[in-house]
Amino acid sequence: MRLLLVIGFLLTSLTGFTQDCPNLIAPAAGATNVAVDSPITWEEVVGVTGYIISLGTTPGGGEIVANQPVGSVTTYNPPLGLPESTTIYVTITLFFFDQPDIICEPISFTTRNEVNPPTCTQLNAPVNGSTGVNVGANLSWNYAPRATGYRLTIGTAPGLGDIALNLDVGNVLSYNPPADFPAATEIFVQIVPYNENGIASSCIEESFITGDLGDPPGCTMLINPVDGQFNVALSPLLEWEPVPGATGYLLYIGRSPFENDVVDGAIFTDTSTFVFNFEPNNTYFVRIVPFNDAGQAVDCPQESFSTILGCGPFFDEDTGELVVLNPEISFPDIVGICLGQTPRVITATDPADGYRWYRVTDSGDLLVISEEATVALEETGTYVYEAYVLTDDGQGSVLECTSSSEFTVVASQEAQIDDFFIRQFGEVFNVEVVVSGIGEYEYALAIDGPYQDSPEFNGLTEGNYVLYIRDRNGCGIVQRPFRLLFPPTGFPPYFSPNGDGVNDLWNYVPPRLDPLPLKDIYIYDRYGKLLARINPNGNGWNGQYRGNPLPAAGYWYRAETFDNQVFRGFFSLVR
């Protein structure tokens, strides 16, 4: 039960596997006058494990950034920005843990000449205001847009600079002091970015407090999964080496090496934890920082691993197809409960290994109401239908691949016919029905359709018909037979009430075949004013209103039958 989606073939690897390479979104290919602090953004390629980016000043080169893994994100911020007035070449590599990487063709753009000094920056380690900092800590800060270098002043009092005074460290984002900081001391740091146009102005001084004198712990490393491991389960037990002297561990996990969007500095006293519901076919980056009262471990490395292919989507190297193991489902957005016919039993028709049905509570929780292919619906509200297939996850366990659809249950009923109109235009008829009820209705002239939303049918010819009105929510079909007949002498097209005894009265003239069983005829002027009501079996209308002759003009009639059909038409009064 795999859903296989065939992809286009634009790039061929050594194995014969093919896949599209992404286009740059920003900056666009060939763009000029690009700011040096611009992030690089590209299209997502469905099914890849991750991306590797290189930035160079030559096609395919890595003079600026060489082969930097970025995980599954599609945006990269060059850590030191980009050189000005330079053509930059971007090379994206598609990373697959189960097959060879695909190196895409370089795409280039050109940066502008910057004419302004940089802006200020701030510490990111230690962060401003932090306490218990390791006396051997290194300083690091964020990139300042347009900066080509930084000057540091570090001291034990504001502006003192007794550790470093206006020290030019060059175009880097970190500094390792030659000696440890004094213990239990507030350290003040000012970072001033500069470039060829000048220095940043009014940069603030930040500070942190070192820990007590002692031995901070060293770094640790992952035991499970090990750094670089592939095919990791989606809810693994993370384990790392214990570190002597550590009283706890800070855990950071992200889908890219630059953002901790999964776990951000959670504290653990043990050396293991379960992490639930990783996404399949993704690379995750992990950093574990031991600490004690003397501070945190310094410069602990970042490690990574890739999760199992899971339910997909992922590319099959053998077939060159995009594979999704989740079942393909089809379910309506709205389901009706018919008045007087509850419960309504629904049966799933999608092929799957199992099913679940949920009711969404007022608090937004999901309450399981059935784990079978069928469900009995008794009340209105919001529900979720879920189907799943079972597959081997490659770890000796069964993986459940699910697809779901939210739907709304509404009250519904058969239509009630309130009125039925037949209008004659030349030799064709327009028919309209007026219905009431709490359902959603559609209309057809055959029980199998086609059905339409409009209750009007135009341009019908003579004949016998049946109108079918179907509730969209499955609460039944009502029908109304009717006949369309255009008798040439039924409703005279004109009359001349001039007292000559010829055609002085206007009335319905029943044809020899299939006369209409008329009950009443109403006559109106062109403004819709009722002028007369006549009996089809009587003498007819004499062209007067309240005893006064009406002028020669066009007039309208509305004829009703005993079975509530309505006929409308036009005739002329001639003087």
Side-chain angles (χ1 to χ4, degrees):
M1 277 175 275
R2 291 186 173 185
L3 173 62
L4 301 180
L5 308 176
V6 178
I7 62 173
F9 299 119
L10 294 183
L11 183 68
T12 304
S13 70
L14 295 177
T15 64
F17 179 74
T18 59
Q19 169 54 25
D20 295 355
C21 277
N23 294 315
L24 281 186
I25 297 175
T32 59
N33 201 36
V34 174
V36 296
D37 59 336
S38 296
I40 313 297
T41 303
W42 56 93
E43 296 173 335
E44 180 183 8
V45 179
V46 177
V48 303
T49 306
Y51 307 92
I52 301 170
I53 188 170
S54 292
L55 303 176
T57 55
T58 58
E63 294 88 354
I64 302 171
V65 173
N67 296 318
Q68 172 63 60
V70 297
S72 59
V73 300
T74 56
T75 295
Y76 176 69
N77 288 280
L80 294 174
L82 300 169
E84 63 179 340
S85 302
T86 303
T87 298
I88 308 298
Y89 295 86
V90 181
T91 303
I92 303 294
T93 297
L94 306 183
F95 167 66
F96 303 86
F97 76 74
D98 61 335
Q99 57 197 11
D101 296 344
I102 295 175
I103 302 175
C104 299
E105 289 295 323
I107 303 173
S108 67
F109 59 86
T110 303
T111 56
R112 68 189 181 200
N113 177 38
E114 299 291 350
V115 296
N116 295 312
T119 58
C120 291
T121 184
Q122 61 185 20
L123 283 171
N124 61 29
V127 296
N128 186 37
S130 58
T131 60
V133 174
N134 188 332
V135 294
N138 298 331
L139 303 183
S140 66
W141 51 91
N142 298 320
Y143 164 65
R146 300 184 299 278
T148 58
Y150 301 86
R151 294 183 178 275
L152 303 185
T153 296
I154 309 170
T156 56
L160 180 59
D162 54 332
I163 298 175
L165 180 61
N166 200 29
L167 177 64
D168 187 347
V169 296
N171 193 19
V172 296
L173 298 178
S174 63
Y175 174 66
N176 183 5
D180 289 347
F181 293 115
T185 302
E186 186 170 9
I187 305 298
F188 295 85
V189 180
Q190 184 187 45
I191 307 169
V192 180
Y194 65 84
N195 64 16
E196 61 182 4
N197 304 302
I199 65 172
S201 60
S202 304
C203 295
I204 64 171
E205 198 170 43
E206 301 175 274
S207 69
F208 55 88
I209 299 175
T210 57
D212 294 333
L213 189 62
D215 294 323
C219 292
T220 183
M221 65 177 58
L222 283 171
I223 301 173
N224 180 55
V226 298
D227 184 31
Q229 183 172 331
F230 298 148
N231 214 30
V232 175
L234 301 182
S235 296
L237 174 67
L238 295 189
E239 299 179 272
W240 54 91
E241 293 280 1
V243 175
T247 58
Y249 303 87
L250 297 172
L251 177 63
Y252 302 89
I253 305 176
R255 291 178 298 168
S256 81
F258 318 108
E259 184 179 2
N260 303 310
D261 57 345
V262 179
V263 178
D264 190 10
I267 298 175
F268 295 90
T269 55
D270 295 325
T271 58
S272 65
T273 182
F274 277 103
V275 180
F276 296 98
N277 298 327
F278 280 131
E279 294 179 1
N281 197 24
N282 257 308
T283 299
Y284 288 89
F285 298 83
V286 180
R287 189 189 308 276
I288 304 168
V289 181
F291 66 88
N292 61 19
D293 291 340
Q296 300 176 8
V298 176
D299 292 339
C300 292
Q302 190 176 66
E303 303 174 273
S304 66
F305 58 84
S306 299
T307 53
I308 61 174
L309 293 176
C311 301
F314 55 85
F315 291 108
D316 188 318
E317 184 180 11
D318 295 329
T319 65
E321 294 177 337
L322 185 62
V323 177
V324 179
L325 300 182
N326 307 74
E328 187 173 9
I329 65 173
S330 175
F331 200 81
D333 295 330
I334 298 177
V335 172
I337 294 181
C338 305
L339 294 183
Q341 301 178 33
T342 56
R344 181 175 179 185
V345 177
I346 302 292
T347 301
T349 58
D350 303 311
D353 293 331
Y355 308 89
R356 296 187 191 91
W357 305 82
Y358 305 88
R359 182 171 63 83
V360 181
T361 67
D362 293 339
S363 61
D365 296 328
L366 296 180
L367 178 65
V368 178
I369 57 175
S370 174
E371 295 187 74
E372 305 294 334
T374 60
V375 64
L377 303 174
E378 300 189 16
E379 57 183 305
T380 60
T382 303
Y383 292 78
V384 173
Y385 158 66
E386 182 180 81
Y388 62 87
V389 297
L390 303 175
T391 185
D392 187 348
D393 69 351
Q395 303 289 311
S397 300
V398 174
L399 180 65
E400 189 178 281
C401 298
T402 64
S403 298
S404 63
S405 175
E406 184 175 277
F407 64 97
T408 302
V409 174
V410 299
S412 198
Q413 66 179 157
E414 286 185 349
Q416 304 293 318
I417 298 177
D418 296 331
D419 213 339
F420 193 86
F421 301 102
I422 298 175
R423 297 181 177 87
Q424 175 186 320
F425 294 91
E427 302 212 2
V428 296
F429 298 87
N430 293 350
V431 174
E432 179 183 3
V433 63
V434 178
V435 302
S436 61
I438 62 173
E440 296 184 13
Y441 305 114
E442 52 189 2
Y443 308 84
L445 295 179
I447 192 167
D448 295 326
Y451 283 84
Q452 64 183 41
D453 295 334
S454 173
E456 297 185 28
F457 295 87
N458 299 325
L460 301 181
T461 59
E462 287 184 306
N464 295 318
Y465 295 87
V466 178
L467 173 64
Y468 297 91
I469 307 169
R470 181 171 70 182
D471 176 43
R472 292 181 184 275
N473 299 316
C475 291
I477 299 176
V478 296
Q479 62 186 55
R480 169 70 180 268
F482 63 95
R483 179 180 60 182
L484 299 179
L485 180 66
F486 177 67
T489 59
F491 297 100
Y494 70 93
F495 77 115
S496 55
N498 53 14
D500 63 356
V502 179
N503 208 20
D504 283 335
L505 299 172
W506 187 92
N507 202 347
Y508 176 69
V509 180
R512 289 179 300 172
L513 298 176
D514 299 316
L516 296 174
L518 295 183
K519 179 175 62 175
D520 292 295
I521 300 176
Y522 300 86
I523 297 173
Y524 305 85
D525 65 12
R526 61 178 179 169
Y527 302 105
K529 179 180 178 180
L530 178 63
L531 304 177
R533 175 183 177 185
I534 61 175
N535 187 332
N537 298 314
N539 293 327
W541 183 48
N542 60 6
Q544 297 183 7
Y545 177 66
R546 293 183 177 179
N548 297 313
L550 293 175
Y555 295 87
W556 293 84
Y557 67 86
R558 179 177 182 272
E560 295 181 354
T561 66
F562 285 98
D563 59 356
N564 295 320
Q565 294 188 74
V566 176
F567 294 83
R568 289 182 171 85
F570 174 86
F571 66 95
S572 298
L573 188 158
V574 180
R575 293 290 186 185

